[in-house]
Protein backbone atom coordinates (compact mmCIF):
# COMPACT_ATOMS: atom_id res chain seq x y z
CA UNK A 1 0.00 0.00 0.00
CA UNK A 2 2.94 2.35 0.60
CA UNK A 3 3.81 2.01 -3.11
CA UNK A 4 0.36 3.33 -4.03
CA UNK A 5 0.75 6.39 -1.80
CA UNK A 6 4.23 7.04 -3.19
CA UNK A 7 2.92 6.75 -6.74
CA UNK A 8 0.03 9.12 -6.08
CA UNK A 9 2.21 11.70 -4.34
CA UNK A 10 3.70 12.98 -7.60
CA UNK A 11 1.65 15.37 -9.77
CA UNK A 12 3.11 14.02 -13.01
CA UNK A 13 2.09 10.48 -12.10
CA UNK A 14 -1.40 11.69 -11.24
CA UNK A 15 -1.55 13.38 -14.66
CA UNK A 16 -0.51 10.10 -16.30
CA UNK A 17 -3.33 8.33 -14.45
CA UNK A 18 -5.73 11.06 -15.60
CA UNK A 19 -4.67 10.52 -19.20
CA UNK A 20 -5.08 6.75 -18.93
CA UNK A 21 -8.52 7.32 -17.42
CA UNK A 22 -9.48 9.49 -20.41
CA UNK A 23 -7.97 7.11 -22.96
CA UNK A 24 -6.70 3.73 -21.81
CA UNK A 25 -4.05 1.78 -23.71
CA UNK A 26 -1.62 4.53 -24.72
CA UNK A 27 1.97 4.21 -25.81
CA UNK A 28 4.79 6.18 -24.21
CA UNK A 29 4.85 8.54 -27.22
CA UNK A 30 1.10 9.20 -26.92
CA UNK A 31 1.34 9.83 -23.20
CA UNK A 32 4.23 12.27 -23.63
CA UNK A 33 2.31 14.21 -26.28
CA UNK A 34 -0.88 14.40 -24.22
CA UNK A 35 1.00 15.42 -21.07
CA UNK A 36 2.65 18.26 -23.01
CA UNK A 37 -0.54 19.44 -24.74
CA UNK A 38 -3.09 19.08 -21.95
CA UNK A 39 -0.97 19.56 -18.82
CA UNK A 40 1.92 21.69 -20.04
CA UNK A 41 4.40 19.07 -18.84
CA UNK A 42 7.54 18.95 -20.92
CA UNK A 43 8.86 15.73 -19.43
CA UNK A 44 11.24 13.67 -21.53
CA UNK A 45 10.25 10.18 -22.65
CA UNK A 46 12.81 8.81 -20.21
CA UNK A 47 11.23 10.73 -17.30
CA UNK A 48 7.71 9.59 -18.24
CA UNK A 49 9.00 6.04 -18.58
CA UNK A 50 10.40 6.22 -15.04
CA UNK A 51 7.06 7.52 -13.76
CA UNK A 52 5.31 4.63 -15.51
CA UNK A 53 7.67 2.21 -13.81
CA UNK A 54 6.69 3.60 -10.38
CA UNK A 55 3.01 3.28 -11.33
CA UNK A 56 3.59 -0.31 -12.48
CA UNK A 57 5.40 -1.13 -9.22
CA UNK A 58 2.33 0.16 -7.36
CA UNK A 59 0.12 -2.03 -9.61
CA UNK A 60 -1.77 1.06 -10.84
CA UNK A 61 -0.64 0.59 -14.44
CA UNK A 62 -0.08 -2.53 -16.50
CA UNK A 63 1.92 -2.73 -19.71
CA UNK A 64 1.04 -4.87 -22.71
CA UNK A 65 3.58 -5.37 -25.45
CA UNK A 66 2.35 -5.70 -29.03
CA UNK A 67 5.08 -5.89 -31.64
CA UNK A 68 7.38 -2.94 -31.09
CA UNK A 69 4.83 -0.97 -29.09
CA UNK A 70 4.01 -1.11 -25.40
CA UNK A 71 0.49 -0.07 -24.40
CA UNK A 72 -0.14 1.18 -20.88
CA UNK A 73 -3.40 0.49 -19.08
CA UNK A 74 -4.87 1.83 -15.86
CA UNK A 75 -5.65 -0.74 -13.17
CA UNK A 76 -7.88 0.93 -10.55
CA UNK A 77 -8.03 -2.07 -8.19
CA UNK A 78 -5.39 -0.71 -5.76
CA UNK A 79 -7.37 2.54 -5.52
CA UNK A 80 -10.58 0.69 -4.74
CA UNK A 81 -8.73 -1.13 -1.99
CA UNK A 82 -7.67 2.20 -0.50
CA UNK A 83 -11.14 3.67 -0.44
CA UNK A 84 -12.67 0.46 0.88
CA UNK A 85 -10.25 0.54 3.78
CA UNK A 86 -11.75 3.75 5.18
CA UNK A 87 -15.25 3.78 3.77
CA UNK A 88 -16.61 0.34 4.56
CA UNK A 89 -19.36 0.21 7.14
CA UNK A 90 -18.41 -0.70 10.66
CA UNK A 91 -20.60 -2.87 12.92
Amino acid sequence: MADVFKALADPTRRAILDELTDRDGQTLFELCARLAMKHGLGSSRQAVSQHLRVLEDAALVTARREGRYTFHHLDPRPLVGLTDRWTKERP
Side-chain angles (χ1 to χ4, degrees), residues 10-65:
D10 185 87
T12 301
R13 290 193 283 270
R14 290 193 306 268
I16 291 169
L17 293 175
D18 288 341
E19 287 307 315
L20 290 175
T21 298
D22 287 348
R23 186 166 167 266
D24 202 27
Q26 294 185 60
T27 65
L28 177 61
F29 178 79
E30 291 171 311
L31 280 168
C32 289
R34 290 173 64 100
L35 289 171
M37 287 187 333
K38 290 178 66 180
H39 301 274
L41 298 172
S43 300
S44 67
R45 285 190 307 216
Q46 182 180 7
V48 174
S49 181
Q50 290 173 345
H51 284 300
L52 284 166
R53 206 165 302 120
V54 172
L55 291 167
E56 287 176 33
D57 289 345
L60 291 166
V61 169
T62 59
R64 175 181 52 85
R65 204 147 162 84

Side-chain angles (χ1 to χ4, degrees), residues 2-3 24 32 41 58-59 63 71 82 87 90:
D3 288 346
D24 202 27
C32 289
L41 298 172
F71 297 92
L82 282 179
T87 59
R90 307 272 184 217

